[in-house]
């Protein structure tokens, strides 16, 4: 199969769809890889690194799209990329379609087969291709939140860890999944007072068994969320409904009751955000202040640590890319329900139930695609 890797063009997005090591694996199995020139510079890899791994270097995204049967990316395709997709071409990347009707419309119009990293599952119900970026984003959330608490950044002027004789900051993490537990680990490591809130009792029990009294756990109710958000210095939104829009756990009406200069970090912004007042920001302008509360809502947080993120992502995606390349998309997905869960758009139709519901678009049952 001919596989294309264009340079990412989203604001301050330095990741790339594959490392040279990934290219080498594909080339060794007889596949042809095209990569746009300079696509790897953000992770410190030159065109020569990719050329030596077996890739052909092309001078534009248009050339990469034109030559390739499958496009492998990191972030959702921007409008100009959707315009150069063609019917029957495979797109394998993060899509996050639920809060993005325009992208969904463009993908449906393209006729491409769009498979989303974030809705592929495994036999334990996990999201194996979302997990590596969730780990990165969870750890980064504490890093950026600590900076946003600084007075010069608009925060209350609080050191997350405190010092002897001065209490540490209170960090509240909404959601006990991959993002949440990684955020909690980082915050605890810095010495903060950390509470994690989730509505799964088994998950809370698992977290308690791992971390004991160092990490407070609370069952999620409206009251427990409000009480803890109101007293927090840093709130990290880490909730996820796979493929669907994130629930709004912190409302606009709650902001005046929060501590002035406290910080909201919305890691769920790719899925529409879990704070009512969230709007997507960029690495260039990552924060804004509303009702005295600092909001950090960067939609591609792991792009700031592009090298770590790209290597972690390739480790996770490469087996799936190889399967698509070796078998073709129909054979790769037909008998694997977990991989098939990644199918979001095919033949101009939406095939992911959560996306169809969020966008109020008629669902095409994915099983019918293979009949």
């Amino acid at each position: 199969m001919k596989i294309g890797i264009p340079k990412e063009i989203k604001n301050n997005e330095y990741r790339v769809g594959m490392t040279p090591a990934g290219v080498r694996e594909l080339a060794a199995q007889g596949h042809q890889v095209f990569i746009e020139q300079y696509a790897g510079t953000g992770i410190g890899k030159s065109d020569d690194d990719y050329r030596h791994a077996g890739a052909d270097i092309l001078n534009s995204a248009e050339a990469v799209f034109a030559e390739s049967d499958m496009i492998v990316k990191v972030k959702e395709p921007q409008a100009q990329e959707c315009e150069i997709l063609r019917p029957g071409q495979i797109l394998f990347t993060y899509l996050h379609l639920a809060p993005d009707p325009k992208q969904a419309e463009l993908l449906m119009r393209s006729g491409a087969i769009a498979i989303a990293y974030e809705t592929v599952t495994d036999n334990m119900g996990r999201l194996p291709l979302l997990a590596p970026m969730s780990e990165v984003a969870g750890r980064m959330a504490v890093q950026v939140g600590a900076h946003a608490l600084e007075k010069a950044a608009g925060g209350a002027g609080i050191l997350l860890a405190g010092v002897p004789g001065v209490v540490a900051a209170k960090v509240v993490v909404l959601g006990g999944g991959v993002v949440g537990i990684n955020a909690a680990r980082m915050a605890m490591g810095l010495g903060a007072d950390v509470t994690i809130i989730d509505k799964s009792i088994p998950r809370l029990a698992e977290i308690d068994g791992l971390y004991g009294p160092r990490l407070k756990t609370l069952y999620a109710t409206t009251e427990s969320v409000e009480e803890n958000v109101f007293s927090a210095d840093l709130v990290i939104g880490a909730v996820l409904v796979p493929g669907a829009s994130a629930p709004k756990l912190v409302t606009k009406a709650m902001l005046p009751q929060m501590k002035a200069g406290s910080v909201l970090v919305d890691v769920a912004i790719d899925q529409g955000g879990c704070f009512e007042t969230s709007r997507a920001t960029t690495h260039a302008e990552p924060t804004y202040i509303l009702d005295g509360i600092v909001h950090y809502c960067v939609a591609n947080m792991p792009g700031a640590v592009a090298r770590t993120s790209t290597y972690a992502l390739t480790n996770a995606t490469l087996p799936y890319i190889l399967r698509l390349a070796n078998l073709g998309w129909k054979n790769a997905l037909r008998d694997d329900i977990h991989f098939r869960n990644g199918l979001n758009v095919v033949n101009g139709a939406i095939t992911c139930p959560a996306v169809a519901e969020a966008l109020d678009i008629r669902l095409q049952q994915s099983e019918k695609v293979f009949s």
Side-chain angles (χ1 to χ4, degrees):
M1 182 179 284
K2 296 179 179 180
I3 300 154
I5 304 164
K7 182 177 173 63
E8 296 293 325
I9 58 175
K10 190 163 185 173
N11 176 275
N12 284 347
E13 180 54 71
Y14 303 107
R15 290 172 290 181
V16 61
M18 194 177 300
T19 63
V23 170
R24 185 176 177 182
E25 293 297 315
L26 285 163
Q29 296 197 29
H31 304 293
Q32 192 171 7
V33 181
F34 301 99
I35 186 163
E36 186 179 352
Q37 64 180 350
Y38 313 130
T41 55
I43 65 166
K45 294 299 178 182
S46 68
D47 289 346
D48 280 343
D49 291 324
Y50 282 96
R51 192 176 287 112
H52 292 153
D56 292 316
I57 310 300
L58 301 181
N59 62 8
S60 69
E62 288 79 6
V64 170
F65 276 70
E67 288 287 347
S68 304
D69 304 310
M70 173 165 62
I71 299 296
V72 174
K73 282 177 42 62
V74 180
K75 288 305 294 175
E76 70 278 359
Q78 304 302 291
Q80 60 265 48
E81 294 174 308
C82 290
E83 296 292 345
I84 55 177
L85 282 166
R86 64 177 184 271
Q89 192 171 40
I90 303 166
L91 173 68
F92 195 30
T93 188
Y94 290 115
L95 293 176
H96 300 293
L97 291 177
D100 193 351
K102 181 62 176 176
Q103 185 201 165
E105 178 187 345
L106 290 173
L107 288 178
M108 292 168 70
R109 189 187 305 163
S110 75
I113 296 97
I115 305 169
Y117 293 157
E118 74 272 9
T119 59
V120 173
T121 57
D122 65 16
N123 57 11
M124 296 183 68
R126 297 171 302 195
L127 304 171
L129 304 188
L130 187 61
M133 295 305 95
S134 295
E135 291 166 351
V136 171
R139 297 180 185 207
M140 280 191 68
V142 175
Q143 183 173 302
V144 299
H147 175 67
L149 275 171
E150 296 173 14
K151 197 67 179 176
I158 293 174
L159 180 66
L160 208 63
V163 293
V166 181
V167 297
K170 178 176 178 179
V171 177
V172 172
V173 181
L174 302 177
V178 177
V179 171
I181 201 62
N182 276 274
R185 284 180 57 193
M186 286 290 288
M188 286 191 297
L190 289 173
D193 174 9
V194 186
T195 300
I196 196 163
I197 302 177
D198 197 279
K199 62 180 182 180
S200 168
I201 293 295
R203 181 57 176 162
L204 292 174
E206 181 182 3
I207 292 169
D208 183 72
L210 289 170
Y211 298 101
R214 290 184 300 150
L215 176 56
K216 302 180 182 71
T217 58
L218 279 176
Y219 181 72
T221 63
T222 300
E223 183 172 295
S224 66
V225 170
E226 287 181 349
E227 286 182 354
N228 283 273
V229 166
F230 293 160
S231 62
D233 300 298
L234 170 60
V235 179
I236 297 171
V239 296
L240 174 70
V241 179
S245 296
K248 310 301 182 190
L249 300 183
V250 176
T251 66
K252 188 178 190 305
M254 293 168 65
L255 298 192
Q257 299 180 70
M258 294 177 64
K259 295 163 66 172
S262 58
V263 175
L264 295 173
V265 176
D266 197 341
V267 186
I269 192 64
D270 275 324
Q271 294 295 135
C274 59
F275 309 139
E276 186 180 8
T277 49
S278 291
R279 55 177 172 80
T281 59
T282 67
H283 289 292
E285 296 182 26
T287 62
Y288 58 93
I289 298 174
L290 186 63
D291 290 340
I293 308 303
V294 182
H295 292 62
Y296 180 102
C297 307
V298 174
N300 59 329
M301 287 177 64
V305 287
R307 185 179 177 89
T308 297
S309 297
T310 296
Y311 275 82
L313 184 60
T314 299
N315 291 344
T317 59
L318 184 58
Y320 294 86
I321 294 167
L322 283 166
R323 185 171 173 83
L324 286 168
N326 290 336
L327 300 178
W329 72 272
K330 280 194 174 182
N331 289 331
L333 273 57
R334 178 184 286 110
D335 299 322
D336 185 341
I337 180 60
H338 299 295
F339 200 178
R340 194 164 71 239
N341 285 337
L343 190 63
N344 277 215
V345 184
V346 62
N347 298 332
I350 297 292
T351 55
C352 176
V355 171
E357 181 178 358
L359 298 179
D360 194 23
I361 293 175
R362 180 177 175 274
L363 174 69
Q364 167 73 58
Q365 296 292 338
S366 63
E367 293 84 354
K368 294 183 179 179
V369 175
F370 302 94
S371 59

